């Protein structure tokens, strides 16, 4: 078996953070090679390392995998975080994709011009409390178990708890009426590997700094 | 085992078309219940049938599945179109996601403001010929096999061929310099189940026209 997975990305959350969370929660040590200037990204492109000239890219088990979902699916399968059969996988996928939809909206907020930001925040808050959080609260309520699927920790729980931290960063009051989600968050956060990842000094990345985004925007021309 | 899968969507391509293609290519008969009025969508929402109040939704094997990828992954697994092991699945996912990225740009084109449309089309054409098609041509060239992964038809081939038809509709000249992709398109199109799906009268949906776009906007309350 090869060495540790190597993550290629910027030194920030972006589209790599969910991968960091999943590896960490699975108790897998990983290395990071940060892209700091345009030349670093060019080198990866010219190397033929990036199938679609994009990051995230993760070197794992002899492959250079790109596309966030391809990477997540592989890790989840490898470390038994993807349910026990097809039907559990379907539920896990359905829940993970819902998390990804809300997560995508939140991820793009820092890229938004300050003038538009408030306008964007309102629908996000509304969807959080009226669509997404109730859906997940209902799942937990329906079976009364500790985890979303199959009474066992899966990637769905990890993706959801990561999202709950972002929702809390946006506005803690958004979680107010969701006791089962709050309990899931606490329960998953207490798992040794997750607890470690949540501590200062881990590879978890801080909230995206708008100043950093401006710098990245200029450097990488987007 | 339950009856045929039942697809809930409006009568157009949108986010359901790739699911129709996959089921059809797998030789699976399916039923469609079209959402024609906003009230039809409301009924599904109030029923508790839509986990996130959205379609596509597919009733299959006793589950009401939403989220395009959840549905596609389930269908692919069930009908052996997802590779033989984890590593093949990883390649299939990587390729399928690349197809989805370009597909998403093309899907959203009708919603683009008219003054931005030409620029958007130019960008799509550029991505097509400089990024996506070369990547897939290269895969086929690298192993010289008939299919993208594991020398066997998988969801990746079906999604890619569906995309190639969309690219062709946008501008046939975009496919000019990609002989292996043209070969794949022809080969997959000739598979009996796909050939049948490509014929008039099948459940394949036509390109979106102004009328269908207006209808979709009305049903989904998009401005």
């Amino acid at each position: 078996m090869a060495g540790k997975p190597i993550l290629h990305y910027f030194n920030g959350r972006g589209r790599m953070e969910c991968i960091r969370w999943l590896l960490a929660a699975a108790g897998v040590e990983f290395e990071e090679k940060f892209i700091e200037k345009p030349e670093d990204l060019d080198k990866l492109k010219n190397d033929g390392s990036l199938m679609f000239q994009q990051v995230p890219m993760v070197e794992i088990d002899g492959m250079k995998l790109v596309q966030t979902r391809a990477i997540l699916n592989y890790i989840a399968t490898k470390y038994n975080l993807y349910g026990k059969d097809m039907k559990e996988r379907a539920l896990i996928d359905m829940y993970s994709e819902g998390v990804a939809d809300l997560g995508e909206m939140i991820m793009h907020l820092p890229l938004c011009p300050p003038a538009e930001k408030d306008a964007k925040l309102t629908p996000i808050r509304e969807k959080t409390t009226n669509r997404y959080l109730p859906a997940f609260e209902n799942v937990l309520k329906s079976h009364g178990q500790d985890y979303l699927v199959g009474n066992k920790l899966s990637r769905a729980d990890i993706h959801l708890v990561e999202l709950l931290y972002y929702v809390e960063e946006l506005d803690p009051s958004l979680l107010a009426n969701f006791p089962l989600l709050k309990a899931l968050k606490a329960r998953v956060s207490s798992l040794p590997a997750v607890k470690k990842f949540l501590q200062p000094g881990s590879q978890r990345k801080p909230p995206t700094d708008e100043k950093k985004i401006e710098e990245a925007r200029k450097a990488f021309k987007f």
Side-chain angles (χ1 to χ4, degrees), chain A:
Chain A
M1 186 109 308
K4 299 180 191 174
I6 302 178
L7 277 50
H8 296 261
Y9 201 66
F10 313 100
N11 188 357
R13 288 178 175 176
R15 295 189 179 287
M16 187 64 99
E17 193 70 354
C18 54
I19 294 167
R20 297 181 184 110
W21 266 83
L22 190 61
L23 284 168
V28 178
E29 285 183 26
F30 57 91
E31 290 173 17
E32 300 197 80
K33 207 154 184 273
F34 294 122
I35 295 164
E36 282 158 348
K37 29 192 201 328
E39 296 73 57
D40 299 333
L41 187 56
D42 291 336
K43 186 166 185 292
L44 282 172
K45 289 182 186 182
N46 296 333
D47 262 343
S49 294
L50 309 178
M51 182 173 179
F52 304 108
Q53 313 307 315
Q54 296 166 319
V55 286
M57 187 270 275
V58 173
E59 295 183 67
I60 185 167
D61 297 342
M63 296 180 285
K64 288 184 179 180
L65 270 187
V66 297
Q67 290 291 346
T68 309
R69 287 171 173 93
I71 298 163
L72 290 172
N73 290 359
Y74 185 80
I75 294 166
T77 303
K78 183 172 180 179
Y79 298 102
N80 295 308
L81 291 164
Y82 218 162
K84 72 180 201 298
D85 57 32
M86 247 169 78
K87 284 196 169 183
E88 284 196 354
R89 260 199 318 274
L91 295 180
I92 289 169
D93 280 341
M94 183 161 65
Y95 303 163
S96 302
E97 287 294 307
V99 168
D101 281 353
L102 182 58
E104 187 82 3
M105 292 180 225
I106 294 176
M107 189 198 311
H108 285 129
L109 269 173
L111 295 170
C112 199
E116 290 174 29
K117 213 164 172 187
D118 278 332
K120 284 250 147 73
L121 263 169
T122 307
I124 289 178
R125 286 158 168 278
E126 202 256 318
K127 290 206 159 84
T128 300
T129 52
N130 290 4
R131 173 176 287 187
Y132 293 101
L133 298 194
F136 295 118
E137 183 84 3
N138 280 344
V139 170
L140 291 171
K141 193 168 185 186
S142 74
H143 54 52
Q145 291 169 356
D146 279 356
Y147 298 108
L148 286 166
V149 179
N151 207 13
K152 182 172 182 268
L153 180 75
S154 76
R155 62 180 291 199
D157 303 291
I158 296 159
H159 299 325
L160 177 55
V161 167
E162 179 191 356
L163 181 70
L164 294 177
Y165 274 97
Y166 300 151
V167 167
E168 191 179 51
E169 276 173 14
L170 203 58
D171 179 351
S173 77
L174 293 169
L175 290 170
N177 299 324
F178 302 100
L180 297 178
L181 291 181
K182 284 195 275 196
L184 179 73
K185 182 170 174 283
R187 189 178 309 118
V188 169
S189 301
S190 289
L191 297 170
V194 180
K195 192 170 187 175
K196 194 170 163 200
F197 186 63
L198 287 167
Q199 273 152 10
S202 81
Q203 287 160 302
R204 188 168 66 121
K205 302 297 175 274
T208 310
D209 181 339
E210 268 151 28
K211 183 163 159 289
K212 282 243 159 76
I213 290 257
E214 258 324 289
E215 289 171 13
R217 211 191 266 280
K218 289 190 186 119
F220 293 94
K221 300 176 193 87
F222 68 95

